[in-house]
Amino acid sequence: SEPRRSLSLFLESGVYRLEGSGGAVFVDPVRVLNRALARFSISPSAYYSRFFEPGPSEADRGGSNGRKRKRRARKPLVLNDRERVAAQRHQEARPFLVKAHEALVGATELRSLMLKMKGEVATAEDRKLAPPGVPPSFIELGRLWQAPLYEITLNFLQEKPTGDGGPSIIHSKEQKVIPIFNNLVHNGTKDDLEAEFLGSQYVIPRESCFYMSDLQQIHRMIPVEGDAHFHFIVIDPPWENGSAQQKSRYPTLPNKYFLSLPVQQLAHREGALVALWVTNREKLRNFVEKELFPAWGVKFLATFYWLKVKSDGSLICDLDLFHHRPYECILLGFCDKEGMDPRDLSRLSTIQDKRVLMSVPGDYSRKPPLEELVLEYIPGTKPARCVELFARDMRAGWYSWGNEPLHFQEMRYFQKR
Ligand code: SAM
């Protein structure tokens, strides 16, 4: 039957296409990311530590035990201009979000699988196996005058024939020690690498690179060779939003700093699809549309929504809370370049507006992978060259830039296959 087929596709790909939902999908980031890893896999209990916690779910904690949660002060009925525009944007998105969520609620087989996953995570052995100690903060180390002196050790596993022509293979280690900051660190092999830095272990996926630096050095990411530019550029900037929680996790930057991101210079001459994560602040949306995209030379294509759900399929908070929405937006645009194939251009123009991606959130501000939704629209020759700016993790085949692209590559987020 159709749901069974969708379910087995989901188990394989990590993406569940919801029937009759206007193109909405449910994504399990762990499954999606693991498809590209060979020797390691992401540990679901580490990824989902926030929403797969054992014990009562967040929803259960709210009411019945007598400890009523404080209600936020009600919004005054009179909205200012900006709030009115924001409310209208929300009203435009609402039908799509509701339809997508209804489809998820209706996908009973998927939901029972999610609950089973939650149960498995809660009892998983690897919960107790997180390596001891706190990994170093790249953000802090990168600011020290000693930063250029820090080095990372890459451990290459080498396969050697035994010499007698037999099938057995001996693994030997070859080490490479190179600067970790302001340096392009590349795993050109077809295998995941283990790396070591200040006593912590990291996974460097096959055929991936990172450049760890401050924004001031981002121009070093611009490829010198004509064909090494990017077809897909994902950007998740450290927008200011005033939340104390955010401030404790990573530094933020005023909007004007993002105007000079070299998006046009990173884009491939065959064109590039650009995906920008934005928050729901109206001021920000206005800035992106009126200033940022024009400054980057990016033409707007469509808005996608990331709707955040718990492992039981319910929304993480009420859809209509004014200052805290259970969704974030992705603005898609493209760099039109001289070498762009007209067929790529016309395919881009058919990209569906207001698609909804649902997933259970990982760590604070960690975003789910988007490629599954946009793969067919990425212009240029395949395999597409992809880069993430302000990245906190690495992906097989991708470039990652930011001040902590190794953050989620630490061994505590992985298990050996
Ligand atoms: N997309 C990421 C994920 O899914 O985990 C989250 C990115 S987070 C919104 C923004 C990142 O930008 C943080 O890692 C932060 O440390 C980094 N950042 C802040 N200021 C920076 C700067 N001046 N230069 C480089 N990166 C910076």
Side-chain angles (χ1 to χ4, degrees), residues 53-201:
E53 277 304 306
S57 74
E58 304 227 333
D60 301 335
R61 280 200 292 271
S64 54
N65 59 5
R67 252 189 329 119
K68 286 243 165 64
R69 261 198 260 174
K70 259 196 226 154
R71 279 197 169 238
R72 272 173 188 268
R74 273 191 180 277
K75 271 306 292 171
L77 286 175
V78 187
L79 302 179
N80 66 31
D81 282 353
R82 200 179 277 154
E83 287 171 331
R84 214 171 309 124
V85 181
Q88 177 165 359
R89 247 191 238 281
H90 175 67
Q91 287 310 321
E92 279 165 22
R94 212 178 178 285
F96 297 89
L97 297 164
V98 168
K99 193 170 179 188
H101 189 240
E102 278 171 3
L104 177 67
V105 171
T108 42
E109 306 207 4
L110 173 64
R111 286 203 302 128
S112 49
L113 185 80
M114 281 162 74
L115 282 175
K116 207 175 120 213
M117 268 162 61
K118 179 184 174 175
E120 282 166 8
V121 164
T123 54
E125 281 301 305
D126 63 324
R127 289 190 70 81
K128 300 157 214 114
L129 293 181
V134 183
S137 158
F138 297 109
I139 300 176
E140 281 165 29
L141 291 176
R143 288 174 177 154
L144 301 177
W145 68 265
Q146 296 97 327
L149 305 176
Y150 284 109
E151 290 177 317
I152 185 167
T153 304
L154 305 179
N155 291 313
F156 292 88
L157 278 184
Q158 282 210 320
E159 297 186 354
K160 281 192 187 147
T162 46
D164 57 7
S168 54
I169 278 167
I170 298 168
H171 292 278
S172 80
K173 260 190 189 176
E174 188 198 316
Q175 289 194 328
K176 209 169 138 189
V177 183
I178 49 174
I180 191 169
F181 293 106
N182 303 322
N183 185 25
L184 192 67
V185 180
H186 185 202
N187 173 9
T189 74
K190 296 208 182 316
D191 195 8
D192 309 331
L193 281 188
E194 263 175 87
E196 197 194 322
F197 178 65
L198 298 184
S200 289
Q201 307 294 318

Side-chain angles (χ1 to χ4, degrees), residues 331-396:
L331 302 182
L332 294 169
F334 73 106
C335 291
D336 191 359
K337 291 281 190 136
E338 69 285 359
M340 211 168 160
D341 186 328
R343 283 167 301 181
D344 286 347
L345 198 60
S346 61
R347 196 161 338 108
L348 273 177
S349 66
T350 65
I351 208 165
Q352 186 192 336
D353 195 23
K354 298 197 163 59
R355 272 187 87 179
V356 181
L357 177 163
M358 288 170 284
S359 74
V360 178
D363 258 311
Y364 179 77
S365 192
R366 193 167 189 186
K367 309 297 194 298
L370 290 174
E371 334 50 291
E372 307 302 322
L373 271 76
V374 298
L375 216 54
E376 55 187 307
Y377 301 102
I378 299 175
T381 0
K382 299 289 166 316
R385 297 181 53 83
C386 308
V387 65
E388 181 170 350
L389 306 184
F390 301 103
R392 288 190 301 182
D393 65 2
M394 298 180 68
R395 314 279 295 278

Side-chain angles (χ1 to χ4, degrees), residues 101-314:
H101 189 240
E102 278 171 3
L104 177 67
V105 171
T108 42
E109 306 207 4
L110 173 64
R111 286 203 302 128
S112 49
L113 185 80
M114 281 162 74
L115 282 175
K116 207 175 120 213
M117 268 162 61
K118 179 184 174 175
E120 282 166 8
V121 164
T123 54
E125 281 301 305
D126 63 324
R127 289 190 70 81
K128 300 157 214 114
L129 293 181
V134 183
S137 158
F138 297 109
I139 300 176
E140 281 165 29
L141 291 176
R143 288 174 177 154
L144 301 177
W145 68 265
Q146 296 97 327
L149 305 176
Y150 284 109
E151 290 177 317
I152 185 167
T153 304
L154 305 179
N155 291 313
F156 292 88
L157 278 184
Q158 282 210 320
E159 297 186 354
K160 281 192 187 147
T162 46
D164 57 7
S168 54
I169 278 167
I170 298 168
H171 292 278
S172 80
K173 260 190 189 176
E174 188 198 316
Q175 289 194 328
K176 209 169 138 189
V177 183
I178 49 174
I180 191 169
F181 293 106
N182 303 322
N183 185 25
L184 192 67
V185 180
H186 185 202
N187 173 9
T189 74
K190 296 208 182 316
D191 195 8
D192 309 331
L193 281 188
E194 263 175 87
E196 197 194 322
F197 178 65
L198 298 184
S200 289
Q201 307 294 318
Y202 298 86
V203 175
I204 313 290
R206 65 172 162 79
E207 297 164 293
S208 70
C209 293
F210 73 83
Y211 194 95
M212 182 148 60
S213 78
D214 185 75
L215 183 58
Q216 286 165 345
Q217 307 297 321
I218 194 178
H219 60 276
R220 306 270 303 269
M221 280 292 290
I222 300 169
V224 190
E225 291 159 53
D227 250 359
H229 296 65
F230 301 99
H231 300 110
F232 185 35
I233 305 175
V234 176
I235 313 174
D236 183 15
W239 305 115
E240 290 179 330
N241 74 6
S243 112
Q245 193 186 26
Q246 180 197 42
K247 281 179 196 139
S248 67
R249 317 266 165 152
Y250 54 78
T252 57
L253 289 169
N255 289 351
K256 62 169 189 259
Y257 283 76
F258 305 125
L259 289 167
S260 56
L261 284 181
V263 176
Q264 222 16 266
Q265 292 95 306
L266 290 169
H268 201 281
R269 57 179 172 72
E270 297 170 330
L273 180 67
V274 176
L276 176 70
W277 285 92
V278 293
T279 64
N280 288 310
R281 284 171 62 226
E282 190 51 37
K283 202 174 155 190
L284 176 61
R285 298 292 295 269
N286 217 29
F287 168 74
V288 172
E289 280 164 30
K290 305 260 161 59
E291 291 182 61
L292 195 58
F293 269 9
W296 290 351
V298 168
K299 295 185 180 135
F300 175 80
L301 284 168
T303 306
F304 282 8
Y305 302 99
W306 173 37
L307 185 60
K308 302 177 222 181
V309 298
K310 298 186 216 166
S311 47
D312 64 0
S314 64

